[in-house]
Every structure is written in structure tokens, then in C-alpha cells.
Amino acid sequence: PDFSSSVKLKYVKLGYQYVVDHFLTLLLVPVMVGILIEVVRLGPEEIVNLWNSLHFDLIQILCSSFFIIFIATVYFMSKPRCIYLVDYACYKPPVTCRVPFATFMEHSRLILSNNPKSVEFQMRILERSGLGEETCLPPAIHYIPPKPTMEAARGEAEVVIFSAMDSLFKKTGLKPKDIDILIVNCSLFSPTPSLSAMVINKYKLRSNIKSFNLSGMGCSAGLISIDLARDLLQVHPNSNAVVVSTEIITPNYYQGNERAMLLPNCLFRMGGAAILLSNRRSERRRAKYRLVHVVRTHKGADDKAYRCVFEEEDKEGKVGISLSKDLMAIAGEALKSNITTIGPLVLPGSEQLLFLLTLIGRKVFNPKWKPYIPDFKLAFEHFCIHAGGRAVIDELQKNLQLSAEHVEASRMTLHRFGNTSSSSLWYEMSYLEAKGRMKKGDRIWQIAFGSGFKCNSAVWKCNRTIKKPTDGPWEDCIHRYPVHIPEVVKL
């Protein structure tokens, strides 16, 4: 039999991991046992004589105590505040916004009647997209031709954002006056007044609220907002921060014939999420998660990476989002850079040692050795990969050597809701909760990609075992998932 796949090698690997990961414990236990044995061997009189031989005076005791208290004070003051994710809410579009494949293709044939090749191209993309029949588009896109007016775009923003906020208030008991920090991210729709001002006006938030509106930062803007909220919560004690992540589709539906710009029409759908973060100790018990790490990687210095997701006009002057053919290769490079940074923060010592030894071996002995890919399954129980498209999920599953179960949440989110941009990660978290898989102590890795080009990661630790929710975006359909998604759906 092949030794590499034998049971013996499996146990050798498990033994290696245990020894390396618990090296200090295995080293200290025999030392402590030896000291204890020596103490037991000594008689009571010898122990008393040893204690009496130690001379302490009052000044030494006071100085030592002061020094210990000083060091402890500096340590606790410099220690970063814990950031808790109290709860979050995802927007669930109404059934009236549903866009089955037949409806989408019928609209495409009517809108692009002069270019049947573009219609055929969209059909091929949709067949292989991994999307299901229940994804939704805003009402303005349902018109033939679509009516992407400013009023319609504002209407979509109000429905998505206010619905998510209302759900968050209901779930957490948070009052609008309790919000100290507000961050809204939406890449392609940036009106004046801003979307954050729209939220402040709707809920009559305090005049001294710290509000931010992030635009143009792509599908990874949600994690950028989390990073910004974390930094603000570090310097503002006893505060609540609300992050709203969404993408407004109405003004960004492309009606031209450029294939690179037609692709987003087939993937992007309605969606949004509102997240409550807090640094208050009183929220520790009821909070769902604790933020552990946020790692951001930006490849914008490279021209190809900068232009791989680009908003521009086509030859006819119609604005759309152009996706480059090099997108997946660029995403792979960004992921490698991000993994290089996050790996030492989360991987156990056994994986870091193997990676280091392989790296030394390639540099010193043979550069043709295959690079060692760390097993991130040892660092995380759950993976939330941005549901940007089937190719994105496939590529990350392959590169990170994940099982079908690890990418299940991402595939099912893409199937049920489509690519909802920066909010897709929260639909995936909601899926895992709806399946009852979130246990206390579980670690979650969120990975998102965005224009620029960026790859951002966030690591969360489950604060308590989460019961299956009775509401949320998966409420009426979680019993049907997971579903089989064929390679090609014939339309």
C-alpha cells in the first residue's frame, strides 16, 4: 500500500502536531514534577530552615510590590480593548423582487435585441454562475428598459439599509441614541448627502455621532469598515459602533454590449447587513463573537491589479464595471500575500515549523521543491469566503485545500442570494448559525476581495454556543439546504 496514505503516517502526523503544539507544556511538566519530588523528599525541619535562611526586609518587600503593581498597570493599560460583535441582521428581499433565470433572460433578449451574441454570452455565464432561481434585483431593474434614476437608487438604499437597521434594533434592543459610531460602506452609489447622513436623518441620531461613509472600495469594504470600527473603538471607551454594508444595484445595471461589463449583471444581486460592535464589558456575555484579527492586503501599486475591476464607459458612452481576464490570477496573488501575514497569527506551531523548514529547503537545497501549503483547517472551524462567483470559491477551495463542507456556506449563499458584495460574508455567517454549527470557542475566517485590488481577512472567535435563530434571511429555506449545484444549468 502507498505509505503516504496509510493509517500509520496519519498517526505520525497527529503525534508530530501534538508534540510541537504542546512543546512548552511537555517541557515544563517533567521539570515541575522533579521539583515537587525534591520538595517532598525534604523533611519539615529542612523546609523551615530553608525559609529562615531567606532574609527579607520591609524596604525590599515594598519595592518589589510597587514594581509588580507598576508592571501590571502598564500591561493592562497598553492591552487593546476587546471588540465584541453583539449581533447582526441581514436584509431579506421580498418575493416580488425575485429574478428567475427565465425572467432574467427574457429581459436580456428585450434589452439587447440588437445584439444576440451578448444575450447568448449572458446565458452561458448564468448557466455556470452557481446562482439559483430565488436571487433578487431592485424594482427599477425589473422595468423594460430599466429605469436607473437617482430617486429609484435612493429608494433601494432606504429599503435595504433601513430594513437591516430595524432588524438590528429589534434583535439587540439597541436604541438609536445609543449609537456612538456609524460606518456605512457602499462602493458604487455615493449620493449627496451621504448614505450615513441618510441613516442619521432617519433615526435622528445624536449630533456628536462619529459617522463615516466609505465608497469605491469594492466587495471587501465590509471588512475595511470592521477594521475602521475596531480602531475607533480602541480610542473611544464604552462605545457602540454600527456598521452597515451594502451595494446599491439600481444605478449600476449595465445596458451595453461589452462582455467584460455584462458579467456583473449576471452575478450581483440585492443585499445588505447591519452589524453592532461594542467595547463595553457589559456586552461580553450576550455578544456572539469576539474580533481577534483583521489583516488587509492592497495590491494597488501594480497596474494590472489596479485595473482588473474598473468602472468606465464603453465605446457607446455607457458606464459599467469591467472585469479583467486576469482577475483570478491577481486574486490568487493577493490571497498569498494575505496568507503570509495572517498565517503566523493563527496557525499552530507545527504548521509554522513545516512551512519554515520547507522554505529553508527550497532556498538551500532544491528550489524545485513544492512550497508547503499550511493546513488552515487546524486554525479555523469555519470559513466564510466572499461569494463573488463560482470561480472565486473554487479557486480558494483548491488553494486552501478545503472540503466541500468548509465552502458550503459560501456556495449556498451564492445560490440563494447571489453576489451581494460586501454583505455576502454576513449571509454566510447567518447560514452557519441557521444550521446550528456555531459552538463556543469556534474560530471563523472571513475572506473578501475587492477592487483596487484588495484581499482582506477577519478572524472571529465564537463567544457562546449560538442557538438556531427563528428569524433571519434563511428562515423559510434553511431546511432545503444544502442543495446540489450542477456544473451547468441548461436554460
Side-chain angles (χ1 to χ4, degrees):
D2 182 12
F3 180 71
S4 62
S5 61
S6 68
V7 176
K8 292 182 180 179
L9 184 62
K10 175 185 175 182
Y11 285 108
V12 168
K13 186 177 180 181
L14 288 173
Y16 159 77
Q17 291 172 354
Y18 185 83
V19 170
V20 174
D21 294 344
H22 300 85
F23 178 75
L24 289 176
T25 303
L26 295 174
L27 184 67
L28 289 174
V29 167
V31 174
M32 297 301 294
V33 170
I35 293 173
L36 183 63
I37 291 173
E38 289 298 323
V39 170
V40 170
R41 284 180 179 177
L42 294 173
E45 293 182 358
E46 293 177 326
I47 295 175
V48 171
N49 293 333
L50 182 63
W51 175 258
N52 292 332
S53 66
L54 299 174
H55 298 285
F56 296 104
D57 57 32
L58 184 61
I59 295 176
Q60 287 179 331
I61 294 173
L62 289 175
C63 289
S64 301
S65 301
F66 176 78
F67 182 73
I68 293 170
I69 293 171
F70 176 76
I71 295 295
T73 303
V74 171
Y75 171 76
F76 285 110
M77 288 184 67
S78 61
K79 188 178 180 181
R81 292 187 175 94
C82 287
I83 308 302
Y84 299 105
L85 193 162
V86 180
D87 212 333
Y88 63 95
C90 298
Y91 169 70
K92 183 179 179 181
V95 179
T96 52
C97 292
R98 195 168 65 93
V99 185
F101 293 155
T103 302
F104 185 89
M105 291 313 305
E106 181 184 2
H107 284 212
S108 295
R109 292 186 187 98
L110 293 171
I111 296 168
L112 302 173
S113 57
N114 296 328
N115 196 332
K117 289 186 177 180
S118 294
V119 176
E120 185 181 348
F121 170 75
Q122 284 191 305
M123 184 172 70
R124 290 201 305 271
I125 293 298
L126 201 62
E127 287 177 337
R128 295 164 174 79
S129 65
L131 271 68
E133 297 274 8
E134 298 179 85
T135 61
C136 295
L137 284 172
I141 307 301
H142 287 258
Y143 288 98
I144 302 174
K147 296 182 178 180
T149 63
M150 176 62 78
E151 182 182 2
R154 284 186 184 276
E156 181 193 349
E158 290 174 357
V159 168
V160 174
I161 294 175
F162 296 164
S163 297
M165 290 285 288
D166 290 341
S167 297
L168 183 68
F169 289 143
K170 183 179 178 181
K171 292 176 74 173
T172 61
L174 182 73
K175 296 179 181 179
K177 297 296 182 182
D178 295 333
I179 301 175
D180 304 288
I181 300 165
L182 174 67
I183 303 171
V184 180
N185 68 264
C186 180
S187 295
L188 298 173
F189 181 56
S190 184
T192 300
S194 66
L195 294 176
S196 59
M198 183 183 75
V199 174
I200 292 171
N201 176 258
K202 164 69 175 178
Y203 295 102
K204 310 304 177 189
L205 303 185
R206 300 199 319 255
S207 60
N208 64 341
I209 190 170
K210 295 164 182 65
S211 66
F212 301 85
N213 196 94
L214 306 183
S215 63
M217 307 200 77
C219 299
S220 65
L223 296 185
I224 296 174
S225 297
I226 295 294
D227 188 33
L228 176 59
R230 179 191 64 172
D231 291 344
L232 291 168
L233 288 171
Q234 289 299 327
V235 295
H236 296 286
N238 201 36
S239 298
N240 291 321
V242 170
V243 173
V244 179
S245 294
T246 188
E247 193 63 74
I248 305 305
I249 308 296
T250 297
N252 305 299
Y253 188 85
Y254 178 64
Q255 301 181 55
N257 296 308
E258 289 290 333
R259 292 189 175 185
M261 295 182 177
L262 284 170
L263 187 58
N265 287 358
C266 302
L267 298 176
F268 283 89
R269 296 293 186 267
M270 286 181 80
I275 304 101
L276 173 60
L277 301 173
S278 181
N279 58 13
R280 296 181 177 179
R281 292 183 179 179
S282 58
E283 300 288 5
R284 180 178 179 179
R285 288 189 177 181
R286 72 162 181 158
K288 285 187 172 182
Y289 306 97
R290 179 174 61 85
L291 182 60
V292 183
H293 301 292
V294 178
V295 175
R296 294 167 55 181
T297 304
H298 206 303
K299 291 290 187 178
D302 179 74
D303 291 340
K304 282 187 176 181
Y306 172 70
R307 294 191 64 91
C308 71
V309 180
F310 209 80
E311 185 177 16
E312 59 186 348
E313 296 173 331
D314 64 9
K315 297 176 182 178
E316 298 175 356
K318 296 178 179 178
V319 178
I321 306 297
S322 177
L323 301 181
S324 167
K325 294 180 180 179
D326 301 323
L327 177 60
M328 292 311 303
I330 292 166
E333 290 299 318
L335 178 65
K336 287 179 183 177
S337 299
N338 195 269
I339 284 176
T340 303
T341 306
I342 202 172
L345 300 175
V346 298
L347 286 170
S350 57
E351 291 300 299
Q352 294 191 48
L353 182 61
L354 283 175
F355 180 81
L356 177 63
L357 293 176
T358 306
L359 183 64
I360 294 172
R362 293 183 69 200
K363 294 288 184 181
V364 177
F365 300 107
N366 188 356
K368 293 184 179 180
W369 281 5
K370 289 184 179 180
Y372 179 73
I373 300 175
D375 188 359
F376 280 92
K377 297 187 292 295
L378 297 174
F380 304 105
E381 283 74 32
H382 308 290
F383 296 81
C384 293
I385 301 167
H386 167 53
R390 189 173 202 156
V392 174
I393 301 171
D394 288 345
E395 193 69 18
L396 263 72
Q397 181 181 4
K398 178 183 176 182
N399 289 341
L400 298 177
Q401 299 177 350
L402 303 178
S403 66
E405 185 178 353
H406 286 124
V407 297
E408 181 184 313
S410 301
R411 292 195 189 281
M412 298 308 112
T413 296
L414 181 65
H415 181 270
R416 174 62 183 83
F417 295 100
N419 180 354
T420 59
S421 190
S422 58
S423 63
S424 67
L425 297 173
W426 303 107
Y427 288 91
E428 294 168 26
M429 291 269 275
S430 183
Y431 178 87
L432 293 169
E433 290 180 8
K435 283 292 183 181
R437 296 177 185 172
M438 284 294 187
K439 309 298 181 184
K440 183 178 181 179
D442 283 0
R443 297 156 296 178
I444 306 98
W445 186 13
Q446 291 181 326
I447 315 170
F449 299 93
S451 57
F453 187 85
K454 301 179 284 292
C455 176
N456 299 325
S457 294
V459 178
W460 302 89
K461 190 168 185 178
C462 193
N463 204 40
R464 56 182 172 83
T465 299
I466 300 173
K467 297 179 181 179
K468 292 183 181 181
T470 55
D471 55 1
W474 298 93
E475 175 189 0
D476 61 343
C477 61
I478 191 64
H479 61 281
R480 294 191 274 114
Y481 284 91
V483 297
H484 172 67
I485 304 174
E487 291 294 325
V488 180
V489 179
K490 284 296 179 183
L491 301 181

